[in-house]
């Protein structure tokens, strides 16, 4: 629509242009004829076009559209749904989509389904192994943000992963109308809801097991909790429940007697009339490791330091300390992980040679009985300055030490160590833990330091009487714990001397179900840069059926991955190989036969009802679909809205009009010059 003001301006522009032309070409002019008319028309066109550029006339156009609210039909696609539920959902979806009334006229009807994630589809397979209702609702919030939307949720209300959807509903932006599926009858049910256990245990140690048991019923009942390890009963306990006391936590410790992967079954005996017995037991697996660290203290002198070292190191049951003289038969030292060389002298020659031959780890303690010249000659990790008198050396912590955390151990007020050794120079890669403090002055020389040589690790302590530190720790804290933990960290650092590995696997020894089974790998070139062009294959063999599968590992974002989610439950061995090099890694894992979706005997309609109330919706049952349709049709929140959009369109094209003006003026000038006019 062109405004009246614009029309008047255009008319005024034409009058002004005509007046100027009449004045220029006809006022007091004696020329007549066709040429005068052409020139005056060209001048009129140029002046009129120029004025139009300033006026820039426009007209407006209104476009109208009808915006319908969205009706999202969200269906549960998890395996907890039965074939009867599937038939019911298909019937209800068809009824809502093909509704001939105002429902289909007033709503944009969209179909989604969900399990662990949301997907845009109306076909149901009921194969999803997990249910995450809160994630599905959160995804819909992102998709339909800023729109008028209602959600009809078809589900049994049983969620296995993710945030509790009942509480998420308080943040939900759209009203939810749950349609309850499944069996709504409440049955007496006793279930193992959760088990807490470590993934690993150490041989001859006890590992903790925490079992959460729940009861759904009104009567007082009793049952028995049983724990089986590799089908052998290792623990049992009577448990009782009532309508008031309907949960119980049982904590126990199970002893690991043998090395290897252990299958553990935790079960509660079913109630006499219990319908769902699937949730009465849970399976898990853990790996028992023989991680005993053998430490040898080798010395020619008797000193209280030796007893203090042995007690501190053996405070961790996974470490065994043996004391030897340097002339001991070397065959007894073949299984040693860490050698502690206490005040070595020339008699340690064979021991040092064995350490070098085995590329073993060592911890050297210097003192007043040490032959420093021999130590300098026999090894290439440290160079100790000699010729110093016996002196007291206090310790100060190196705040920048990065190999492991030493911040929990304070040396404030600790007595000094005694030594006649001078400053220690590290010949390889090393880092001091403690530095020397003499007469209150911090010296830039190590008191306790580490050094690394290829894959071997070494440490040296410049002083004896460390037993006084352990006593001082007890005096301060009434426990040896802090000192023992500090020394334990040092021994752990020395006993784990694995060098850089160009081919590294990341996997779990236990997978709860097949969908979680993925093995990752990192492969580096000789410069230890990630190689994204490698070809890696993995061969997996089922121990029970002796069947094998070989698949390539695919490149992901900075790693390689093999997706083995199609494998059935069982025990598997695997070998991953880099095809262009002679590099391979092997391992084993177990897939447990666990389906969280089978843990429920009836639908959780009470939680769905609270979700509906929290979102200003309402709960319905499958036989109430007509009531749901009527509620949606009559709700004033879901009325289609007519929206208008005003479009402003310019009447002229700026570039075209400017070109026309230039053309008119140019043609006028040319005609005037051609005819000899000024």
């Amino acid at each position: 629509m062109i405004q009246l003001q614009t029309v008047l301006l255009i008319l005024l522009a034409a009058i002004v242009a005509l007046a100027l032309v009449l004045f220029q070409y006809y006022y007091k002019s004696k020329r007549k004829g066709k040429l005068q008319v052409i020139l005056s028309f060209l001048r009129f066109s140029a002046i009129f076009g120029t004025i139009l550029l300033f006026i820039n006339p426009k007209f407006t156009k209104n476009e109208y559209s009808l915006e319908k609210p969205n009706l999202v039909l969200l269906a549960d696609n998890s395996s907890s749904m039965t074939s009867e539920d599937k038939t019911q959902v298909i019937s209800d979806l068809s009824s809502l989509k093909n509704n001939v009334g105002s429902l289909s006229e007033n709503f944009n009807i969209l179909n989604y389904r969900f399990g662990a994630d949301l997907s845009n589809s109306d076909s149901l397979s009921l194969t999803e192994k997990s249910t995450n209702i809160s994630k599905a609702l959160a995804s819909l919030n992102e998709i339909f943000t800023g729109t008028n939307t209602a959600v009809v949720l078809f589900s049994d209300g049983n969620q296995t992963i993710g945030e509790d959807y009942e509480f998420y509903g308080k943040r939900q932006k759209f009203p939810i109308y749950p349609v309850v599926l499944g069996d709504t009858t409440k049955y007496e049910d006793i279930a193992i809801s959760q088990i807490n256990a470590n993934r690993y245990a150490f041989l001859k140690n006890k590992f903790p097991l925490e079992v959460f048991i729940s009861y759904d019923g009104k009567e007082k009942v009793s049952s028995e909790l049983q724990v089986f390890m590799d089908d052998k009963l290792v623990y049992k306990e009577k448990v009782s429940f009532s309508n008031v006391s309907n949960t119980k936590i049982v904590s126990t410790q199970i002893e690991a007697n043998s090395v290897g992967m252990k299958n553990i079954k935790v079960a509660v005996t079913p109630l006499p009339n219990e319908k769902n017995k699937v949730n009465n037991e849970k399976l898990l697996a853990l790996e028992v490791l023989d991680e005993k660290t053998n430490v040898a203290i080798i010395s020619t002198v008797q000193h209280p330091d030796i007893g203090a070292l042995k007690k501190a190191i053996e405070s961790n049951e996974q470490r065994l300390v043996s004391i030897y003289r340097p002339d001991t038969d070397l065959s007894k030292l073949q299984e040693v992980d860490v050698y502690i060389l206490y005040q070595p002298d020339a008699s340690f020659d064979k021991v040092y040679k064995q350490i070098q031959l085995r590329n073993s780890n060592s911890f050297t303690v210097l003192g007043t009985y040490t032959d420093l010249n021999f130590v300098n000659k026999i090894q290439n990790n440290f160079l100790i300055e000699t010729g110093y008198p016996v002196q007291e050396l206090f310790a100060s912590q190196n705040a920048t030490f990065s190999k492991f955390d030493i911040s929990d151990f304070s040396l404030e007020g600790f007595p000094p160590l005694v030594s006649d050794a001078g400053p220690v120079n590290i010949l390889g890669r090393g880092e001091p833990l403690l530095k020397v403090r003499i007469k209150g002055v911090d010296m830039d020389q190590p008191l306790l330091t580490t050094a690394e040589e290829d894959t071997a690790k070494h440490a040296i302590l410049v002083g004896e009487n460390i037993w006084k530190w352990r006593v001082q720790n007890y005096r301060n804290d009434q426990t040896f714990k802090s000192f023992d933990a500090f020394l334990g960290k040092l021994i752990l650092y020395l006993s784990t001397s694995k060098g850089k590995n160009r081919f590294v696997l990341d996997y779990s020894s236990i997978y709860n179900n097949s969908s979680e089974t993925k093995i990752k790998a990192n492969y580096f070139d000789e410069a230890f840069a990630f190689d994204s062009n490698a070809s890696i294959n993995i061969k997996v063999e089922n121990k029970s059926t002796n069947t094998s599968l070989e698949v390539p590992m695919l490149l992901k974002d900075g790693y390689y991955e093999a997706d083995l989610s199609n494998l059935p439950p069982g025990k598997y061995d695997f070998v991953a190989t880099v095809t262009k090099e002679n590099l391979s890694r092997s391992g084993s894992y177990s897939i447990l036969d666990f389906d969280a979706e089978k843990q429920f005997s009836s639908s959780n309609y009470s939680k769905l009802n609270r979700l509906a109330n929290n979102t200003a919706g309402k709960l319905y049952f499958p036989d109430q679909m007509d009531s749901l349709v009527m509620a949606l049709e009559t709700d004033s929140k879901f009325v289609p809205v007519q929206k208008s959009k005003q479009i402003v369109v310019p009447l002229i094209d700026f570039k075209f009009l400017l070109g026309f003006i230039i053309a008119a003026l140019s043609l006028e000038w040319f005609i005037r010059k051609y005819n000899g006019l000024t």
Side-chain angles (χ1 to χ4, degrees), residues 339-489:
Y339 293 79
I340 298 181
L341 308 174
Y342 189 80
Q343 303 213 38
D345 56 24
S347 63
F348 282 66
D349 182 73
K350 290 192 299 182
V351 177
Y352 270 104
K353 289 179 179 178
Q354 186 185 48
I355 291 173
Q356 293 170 359
L357 183 65
R358 294 184 60 210
N359 201 24
S360 298
N361 309 313
S362 69
F363 176 26
T364 303
V365 181
L366 306 181
T368 56
Y369 297 96
T370 307
D371 186 342
L372 299 178
N373 292 320
F374 167 76
V375 174
N376 284 335
K377 179 181 177 182
I378 199 67
Q379 50 80 41
N380 299 313
N381 302 305
F382 310 99
L383 181 61
I384 308 159
E385 295 184 22
T386 59
Y388 285 76
V390 175
Q391 56 185 337
E392 292 184 338
L393 306 175
F394 289 85
S396 64
Q397 287 179 246
N398 178 16
T400 62
F401 183 73
S402 61
K403 299 296 183 182
F404 51 86
D405 183 19
I406 59 173
S407 60
D408 293 337
F409 183 56
S410 174
L411 290 161
E412 192 67 32
F414 273 45
L417 303 182
V418 175
S419 176
D420 60 353
V424 175
N425 299 303
I426 305 170
L427 300 181
R429 293 174 288 115
E431 194 174 349
L433 287 80
L434 307 176
K435 292 187 176 182
V436 172
R437 177 182 292 166
I438 300 177
K439 296 181 180 179
V441 178
D442 289 334
M443 313 297 290
D444 189 20
Q445 62 186 70
L447 180 68
L448 173 60
T449 187
T450 64
E452 297 182 6
E453 178 188 17
D454 297 328
T455 60
K457 296 177 182 177
H458 306 279
I460 188 169
L461 176 65
V462 188
E464 60 183 83
N465 292 339
I466 195 173
W467 67 273
K468 294 183 179 181
W469 286 10
R470 193 166 190 261
V471 172
Q472 185 66 42
N473 179 214
Y474 187 84
R475 186 177 299 165
N476 293 344
D477 305 330
Q478 287 71 53
T479 177
F480 300 112
K481 185 176 179 180
S482 180
F483 176 85
D484 292 352
F486 170 76
L487 197 60
K489 288 180 180 180

Side-chain angles (χ1 to χ4, degrees), residues 187-195 211-216 221-228 237 239 241 264-284 593-601:
Y187 300 94
E188 270 195 337
D189 186 52
I190 188 169
I192 297 176
S193 54
Q194 183 178 334
I195 299 177
V211 184
F212 293 77
I213 311 171
S214 62
Y215 167 69
D216 190 3
V221 297
S222 296
S223 181
E224 185 177 68
L225 173 70
Q226 299 175 331
V227 180
F228 298 86
E237 180 180 330
V239 289
F241 301 92
I264 297 176
K265 181 174 76 171
V266 181
V268 288
T269 54
L271 303 175
N273 299 319
E274 191 168 359
K275 180 181 179 181
N276 182 20
K277 299 179 182 180
V278 176
N279 58 13
N280 286 49
E281 66 178 43
K282 279 186 184 292
L283 301 176
L284 67 147
D593 188 9
F594 175 76
D595 188 353
E597 296 295 324
K598 301 300 183 184
Q599 305 300 304
F600 307 99
S601 57

Side-chain angles (χ1 to χ4, degrees), residues 237-251:
E237 180 180 330
K238 291 288 185 181
V239 289
S240 299
F241 301 92
S242 66
N243 185 33
V244 177
S245 177
N246 57 5
T247 60
K248 185 175 285 293
I249 302 174
V250 177
S251 299

Side-chain angles (χ1 to χ4, degrees), residues 33-152:
K34 189 175 181 180
L35 179 62
Q36 193 76 347
V37 174
I38 294 173
L39 291 174
S40 60
F41 174 75
L42 292 173
R43 180 63 62 87
F44 171 81
S45 299
I47 296 173
F48 181 63
T50 303
I51 298 174
L52 280 181
L53 284 177
F54 290 101
I55 296 174
N56 191 20
K58 304 180 181 69
F59 75 93
T60 58
K61 180 175 67 172
N62 292 325
E63 290 187 354
Y64 297 92
S65 61
L66 190 66
E67 186 174 285
K68 298 180 182 180
N70 300 309
L71 180 62
V72 177
L73 308 180
L74 180 62
D76 192 336
N77 193 42
S78 64
S79 60
S80 66
M81 310 290 287
T82 65
S83 56
E84 291 81 5
D85 294 330
K86 180 178 180 180
T87 303
Q88 183 68 56
V89 172
I90 292 174
S91 174
D92 292 343
L93 291 176
S94 177
S95 172
L96 292 173
K97 289 174 65 177
N98 301 322
N99 187 281
V100 295
S102 59
L103 189 64
S104 58
E105 296 176 0
N106 294 345
F107 287 91
N108 293 319
I109 301 178
L110 304 105
N111 288 94
Y112 288 85
R113 69 180 187 186
F114 70 95
D117 298 291
L118 182 72
S119 60
N120 187 0
S121 175
D122 60 352
S123 62
L124 298 176
S125 60
L126 306 185
T127 57
E128 298 272 359
K129 296 297 184 182
S130 302
T131 306
N132 195 339
I133 297 176
S134 58
K135 185 177 181 180
L137 296 178
S139 299
L140 290 178
N141 275 333
E142 293 181 5
I143 295 171
F144 297 102
T145 183
T147 65
N148 189 10
T149 302
V151 179
V152 179

Side-chain angles (χ1 to χ4, degrees), residues 517-528:
T517 313
K518 294 180 180 179
I519 297 177
K520 298 178 181 179
N522 281 298
Y523 172 67
F524 305 92
D525 60 21
E526 294 182 357
F528 283 94

